[in-house]
């Protein structure tokens, strides 16, 4: 049985202009000790689906799912108190902006110790000892001296290390990392990623890594789930995904990697993720897809099988060729000649 | 921190000079001659008038009078009240404890009710408790102090007869002032019922004086909390699995208090201004009432002395707030 199992998760926000579906029937599983990457542009519902899992969405959000179980516990319909026994203990999360994610009024030692106090009931001396251990674990030099430091005295990379230490405090079974390196300097990004992967291996925990950086995915993940406009559009093991992407969106993301560029200018995906008011009626990616036909614009695609990476597409790609496409040879703006 | 403190103290000097200027010249801008008022309806001969004017120094040019006053002030001499013939310094400190007691009670009342009300309004944003707190605050803020006082007196002293109308303690009790604080003195006196009487006398003036600060603090707390509750670190606190009480009362409130403490400090000035009206309405023998009486007697020395002393109190309070600010906000404490 997988550690985390989510089936048909939908998150809707009540807005002034009616309901907005940020996550649209997303399913997801993650095994113990596995690294799963969730990839997609901003606005594809990656963070929202994980925040929904943690119960951290504002009250304007309506969360529904056919199944949402963690470590054998059904998370649906849990009371706040019951959920808080899991969240922060067995399931922890770190965020994109480490500098603003730490409370400026409290010391590093206090903020890490708080989780230990609430979940494990450790006394002051035990908390101090464990906090020093944790700071050491995440590679913070002179951990004892850092206990009394305030967040404004730390750099971004240090803050993220503290966040990781805080998340690991109760030895969670699952760590969700929401774009943990996006706000950091490039040199620090690699350090933090290495740290996360090392810790994941050492602690044997599962890691869900939310990112929009395909480079990060290639370096760390075992399995990849691609999301677009709130929907899961493809899911594959990492090697397969990079070899043979089945959804045109995945293919376009990969084509935008500098390492894969064939011309001087990097190819890009025209347009932006649809919002509340410009949601297409058929395939959500159809306005931006190279292979779009009338059928794509009018009919919602079915999910393909495992062989085609569960792609949500009428014409899934196999070795770069759209299967079943009426005119595969007459495709507009081909990748070889980017706009 | 020391440099920070020094800078704050140095800033007080121009403020202080400004206050003495304002106090000295504004009272002299008021129509009315203190010597004529002192003489009363009996009238006064021109010779006697000239003699008094010379003695009080009114015959000298205004700037000379001002510098003489400033010189005395710097050596700690506030002058002698025309009407009571007692040193202004003594007058002030006889009456100041009464005002201080009332102001402290009012600010405690405002803080103890205002902060929780603001927190509840923020947490229940857009729901009934929020609307209740905000509309009550608006009414409290807009209600003229004298009208609100009269209303309370009519209801609680008149109809219900729960509280006395005026004064600091019932005439049944008498004891010499030790600290000047009626609540403490009544306890020290050991007279049965004296403390209860003092408390009863304090209730209505406290509510009246504390209403505006209460409304301001509640509104400020609400908006500060709303801002803080949207911060990333609140999400972090919730992701740790902390209870709502710990998240709101610990992580959020600590940050929200930073602007609220500034507001409380600023309210002290408002409080002392409000005390003048409140003390007059409730015949509370404090400096507010004394100032009003001194102004109507054109008692220049008393008014100047009182204004300067009040200004000093406000300045000290604001300085304390600045220091407190550093204590609660580590980002300021560590700034050089």
């Amino acid at each position: 049985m997988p550690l985390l199992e989510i089936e048909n998760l939908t998150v809707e926000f009540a807005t002034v202009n009616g309901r907005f579906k940020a996550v649209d029937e997303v399913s997801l599983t993650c095994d113990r000790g596995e690294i799963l990457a969730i990839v997609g542009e901003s606005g594809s519902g990656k963070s929202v689906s994980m925040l929904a899992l943690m119960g951290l969405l504002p009250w304007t959000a309506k969360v529904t799912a056919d199944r949402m179980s963690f470590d054998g516990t059904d998370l649906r319909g849990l009371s706040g108190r019951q959920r808080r026994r899991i969240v922060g203990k067995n399931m922890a999360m770190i965020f994109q902006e480490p500098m603003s994610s730490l409370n400026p009024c409290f010391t590093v030692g206090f903020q890490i110790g708080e989780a230990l106090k609430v979940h494990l009931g450790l006394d002051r001396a035990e908390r101090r000892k464990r906090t020093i251990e944790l700071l050491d674990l995440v590679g913070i030099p002179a951990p004892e001296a850092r206990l009394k430091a305030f967040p404004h005295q730390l750099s971004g990379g240090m803050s993220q290390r503290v966040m990781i230490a805080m998340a690991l405090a109760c030895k969670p079974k699952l760590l969700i990392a929401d774009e943990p390196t996006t706000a950091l300097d490039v040199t620090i990004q690699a350090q933090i990623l290495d740290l996360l992967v090392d810790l994941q291996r050492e602690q044997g925990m599962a890691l869900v890594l939310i990112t929009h950086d395909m480079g990060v995915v290639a370096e760390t993940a075992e399995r990849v789930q691609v999301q677009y406009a709130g929907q899961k559009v493809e899911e594959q093991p990492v090697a397969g995904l990079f070899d043979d992407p089945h959804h045109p969106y995945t293919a376009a993301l990969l084509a935008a990697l500098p390492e894969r560029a064939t011309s001087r200018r990097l190819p890009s995906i025209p347009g932006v993720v649809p919002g509340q008011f410009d949601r297409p009626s058929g395939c959500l990616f159809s306005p931006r897809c190279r292979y779009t036909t009338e059928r794509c614009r009018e009919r919602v695609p079915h999910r393909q099988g495992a062989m085609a990476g569960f792609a949500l597409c009428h014409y899934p790609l196999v070795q770069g060729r759209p299967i079943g496409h009426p005119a595969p040879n007459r495709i507009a703006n081909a990748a070889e000649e980017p706009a | 921190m020391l440099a920070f403190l020094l800078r704050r103290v140095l800033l007080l000097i121009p403020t202080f000079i400004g206050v003495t200027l304002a106090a000295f010249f504004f009272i002299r801008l008021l129509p009315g001659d203190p010597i004529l008022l002192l003489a009363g309806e009996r009238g006064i001969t021109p010779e006697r008038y000239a003699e008094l004017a010379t003695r009080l120094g009114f015959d000298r040019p205004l700037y000379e009078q001002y510098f003489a006053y400033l010189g005395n002030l710097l050596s700690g001499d506030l002058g002698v009240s025309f009407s009571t013939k007692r040193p202004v310094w003594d007058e002030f400190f006889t009456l100041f404890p009464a005002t201080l007691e009332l102001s402290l009670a009012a600010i405690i009342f405002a803080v103890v009710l205002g902060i929780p009300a603001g927190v509840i309004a923020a947490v229940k944003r857009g729901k009934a408790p929020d609307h209740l707190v905000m509309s009550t605050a608006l009414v409290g803020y807009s209600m003229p102090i004298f009208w609100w006082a009269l209303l309370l007196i009519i209801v609680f002293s008149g109809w219900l007869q729960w509280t006395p109308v005026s004064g600091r303690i019932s005439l049944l009790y008498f004891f010499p002032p030790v600290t000047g604080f009626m609540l403490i003195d009544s306890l020290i006196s050991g007279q049965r019922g004296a403390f209860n009487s003092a408390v009863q006398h304090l209730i209505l003036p406290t509510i009246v004086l504390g209403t505006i600060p209460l409304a301001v603090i509640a509104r400020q707390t609400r908006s500060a909390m709303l801002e803080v509750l949207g911060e990333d670190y609140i999400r972090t606190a919730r992701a740790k699995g902390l209870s709502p009480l710990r998240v709101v009362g610990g992580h959020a409130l600590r940050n929200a208090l930073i602007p609220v403490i500034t507001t409380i400090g600023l309210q002290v000035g408002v409080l002392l201004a409000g005390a003048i009206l409140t003390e007059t309405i409730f015949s509370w023998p404090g400096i507010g009432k004394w100032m009003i009486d001194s102004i109507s007697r054109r008692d220049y020395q008393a008014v100047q002395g009182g204004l300067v002393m009040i200004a000093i109190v406000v300045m000290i309070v604001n300085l304390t707030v600045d220091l407190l600010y550093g204590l609660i906000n580590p980002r300021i404490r560590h700034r050089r």
Side-chain angles (χ1 to χ4, degrees):
Chain A
M1 190 185 63
L3 177 68
L4 176 68
E5 245 186 315
I6 298 176
E7 237 170 72
N8 294 337
L9 171 72
T10 298
V11 181
E12 283 182 307
F13 286 95
T15 69
V16 185
N17 304 303
R19 298 201 151 280
F20 173 63
K21 236 183 221 182
V23 179
D24 190 359
E25 304 207 336
V26 166
S27 298
L28 179 155
T29 59
C30 187
D31 283 324
R32 282 162 215 280
E34 186 189 25
I35 303 185
L36 170 72
I38 306 181
V39 190
E41 282 166 278
S42 308
S44 55
K46 308 171 304 253
S47 303
V48 174
S49 52
M50 288 302 106
L51 289 172
L53 175 68
M54 294 282 287
L56 295 178
L57 289 174
W59 60 274
T60 48
K62 185 168 166 265
V63 179
T64 52
D66 292 340
R67 190 183 170 84
M68 185 148 71
S69 75
F70 172 77
D71 201 15
T73 313
D74 189 355
L75 297 177
R76 295 172 307 163
L78 278 192
S79 71
R81 186 184 294 264
Q82 288 166 323
R83 190 187 279 264
R84 286 199 298 275
R85 265 186 228 134
I86 299 173
V87 165
K89 184 169 185 245
N90 296 329
M91 180 160 66
M93 188 160 177
I94 59 172
F95 304 97
Q96 185 171 353
E97 297 285 345
M99 305 282 265
S100 59
S101 291
L102 290 168
N103 193 325
C105 282
F106 296 106
T107 60
V108 164
F110 175 84
Q111 295 190 57
I112 297 176
E114 212 177 10
L116 298 168
K117 185 178 173 185
V118 170
H119 292 294
L120 307 179
L122 299 189
D123 66 30
R124 184 187 280 266
E126 290 169 330
R127 287 206 298 271
R128 190 184 146 82
K129 185 165 158 273
R130 175 80 178 130
T131 306
I132 294 173
E133 270 173 33
L134 284 163
L135 289 176
D136 194 40
L137 187 70
V138 297
I140 290 181
E144 281 204 60
R146 287 288 170 194
L147 288 180
K148 290 240 173 327
F150 283 95
H152 68 273
Q153 297 166 310
L154 305 177
S155 65
M158 278 296 161
S159 300
Q160 194 61 292
R161 284 174 197 268
V162 170
M163 286 295 292
I164 294 171
M166 197 187 293
L168 295 184
C170 305
K171 297 195 170 137
K173 294 175 179 160
L174 171 67
L175 175 65
I176 301 166
D178 184 358
E179 309 236 6
T181 58
T182 308
L184 303 175
D185 288 344
V186 180
T187 47
I188 310 292
Q189 285 187 1
Q191 291 178 15
I192 295 289
L193 271 183
D194 288 346
L195 175 68
L196 276 175
V197 174
D198 287 349
L199 288 170
Q200 180 268 338
R201 232 171 266 148
E202 268 170 44
Q203 315 264 322
M205 64 184 175
L207 177 64
V208 172
L209 184 67
I210 301 174
T211 180
H212 58 244
D213 186 342
M214 274 293 188
V216 169
V217 174
E219 279 170 49
T220 51
E222 295 164 3
R223 202 154 49 83
V224 188
Q225 171 153 337
V226 183
Q227 273 184 223
Y228 181 78
Q231 296 178 331
K232 173 166 105 174
V233 294
E234 178 163 3
E235 181 198 328
Q236 275 211 69
V238 71
L241 187 98
F242 277 80
D243 273 357
D244 187 9
H246 296 307
H247 195 283
Y249 178 60
T250 317
L253 282 181
L254 289 173
L257 279 176
E259 298 88 326
R260 299 194 161 209
T262 49
S263 63
R264 281 171 57 87
R265 281 177 72 176
L266 273 182
S268 60
I269 310 175
V272 290
V273 180
Q276 186 177 1
F277 304 109
D278 53 358
R279 255 176 122 79
S281 50
C283 171
L284 293 183
F285 190 55
S286 61
R288 305 173 70 188
C289 184
R290 300 170 48 203
Y291 307 104
T292 302
T293 62
E294 274 313 300
R295 191 170 157 215
C296 298
R297 289 194 194 91
E298 282 160 13
R299 302 220 331 244
V300 177
H302 292 291
R303 188 166 298 289
Q304 304 286 336
M307 292 295 289
F310 304 100
L312 197 64
C313 185
H314 289 299
Y315 314 114
L317 302 175
V318 173
Q319 297 304 330
R321 292 186 67 84
I323 301 302
H325 195 277
N329 299 320
R330 280 186 291 116
I331 289 157
N333 55 356
E336 288 74 33
E337 33 189 292
Chain B
M1 190 69 205
L2 205 67
F4 171 70
L5 185 67
L6 204 69
R7 208 164 48 231
R8 304 299 316 194
V9 173
L10 282 178
L11 264 176
L12 293 184
I13 295 172
T15 318
F16 178 77
I17 293 175
V19 166
T20 58
L21 275 170
F24 185 86
F25 288 103
F26 283 166
I27 180 74
R28 281 166 175 75
L29 284 177
L30 285 179
D33 184 328
I35 298 178
L36 291 181
L37 280 165
L38 202 60
E41 290 184 3
R42 290 171 291 130
I44 190 168
T45 61
E47 293 79 34
R48 177 79 180 132
Y49 182 95
E51 188 197 326
L52 273 175
T54 313
R55 208 171 76 200
L56 295 171
F58 291 162
D59 55 343
R60 287 149 67 197
L62 215 50
Y63 70 89
E64 261 186 44
Q65 290 184 42
Y66 173 70
F67 284 115
Y69 168 67
L70 196 62
N72 286 340
L73 199 60
L74 291 179
S75 59
D77 179 9
L78 290 176
V80 174
S81 161
F82 302 154
S83 48
T84 62
K85 308 285 189 292
R86 288 180 61 208
V88 173
W89 181 270
D90 293 354
E91 293 260 293
F92 184 85
F93 279 103
T94 316
L95 299 170
F96 186 59
T99 301
L100 191 60
E101 184 174 42
L102 177 57
S103 304
L104 278 177
I107 203 78
I108 289 171
F109 165 77
V111 167
V112 166
L113 286 182
I115 290 180
V119 170
I120 291 170
V123 172
K124 302 276 176 196
R125 176 188 197 175
K127 296 183 187 152
D130 183 20
H131 296 311
L132 183 74
V133 168
M134 281 305 100
S135 47
T136 313
L138 187 65
V139 171
Y141 189 70
S142 352
M143 184 101 79
I145 263 194
F146 67 91
W147 166 247
W148 178 221
L150 290 178
L151 218 63
L152 288 177
I153 290 175
I154 291 171
V155 174
F156 291 103
S157 307
W159 297 346
L160 297 169
Q161 307 243 323
W162 286 356
T163 57
V165 182
S166 67
R168 294 181 76 189
I169 195 160
S170 162
L171 294 173
L172 296 171
Y173 306 100
F174 180 78
F175 38 82
V178 183
T179 60
F181 292 98
M182 196 53 88
L183 292 182
I184 298 174
D185 286 353
S186 63
L187 273 179
I188 293 174
S189 79
Q191 293 180 38
R192 187 176 301 202
F195 181 72
N196 275 350
S197 172
V199 170
Q200 277 178 358
H201 280 79
L202 190 58
I203 292 174
L204 284 194
T206 298
I207 295 176
V208 168
L209 188 56
T211 298
I212 289 179
L214 167 63
V216 173
I217 289 170
R219 292 179 70 103
Q220 175 70 62
T221 305
R222 175 181 180 269
S223 66
M225 277 301 275
L226 281 180
E227 201 180 312
V228 168
L229 285 174
E231 294 282 352
D232 286 348
Y233 52 78
I234 296 303
R235 188 181 56 193
T236 307
R238 291 174 57 214
K240 264 195 266 185
L242 302 183
S243 65
L245 190 71
R246 272 188 105 97
V247 173
V248 173
H251 283 261
L253 187 59
R254 178 73 180 261
N255 284 279
L257 277 184
I258 296 169
V260 172
I261 284 182
T262 314
T263 307
I264 295 173
L266 292 175
Q267 287 304 306
V268 172
V270 177
L271 214 60
L272 288 172
I276 294 182
L277 260 173
T278 311
E279 288 180 3
T280 308
I281 296 166
F282 289 97
S283 304
W284 190 267
I287 48 163
K289 190 163 177 301
W290 170 67
M291 288 290 289
I292 291 279
D293 294 345
S294 302
I295 290 171
S296 56
R297 286 194 292 256
R298 299 294 182 275
D299 192 337
Y300 289 178
Q301 300 291 350
V303 175
Q304 288 163 16
L307 282 178
V308 167
M309 290 307 289
I310 290 176
I312 288 175
V313 170
V314 172
M315 284 192 271
I316 290 174
V317 169
N318 284 341
L319 188 66
T320 316
V321 166
D322 279 342
L323 297 182
L324 215 64
Y325 208 82
L327 211 65
I328 197 163
N329 186 351
R331 278 166 296 190
I332 287 191
R333 203 184 317 153
H334 292 108
R335 205 172 56 198
R336 294 273 166 254

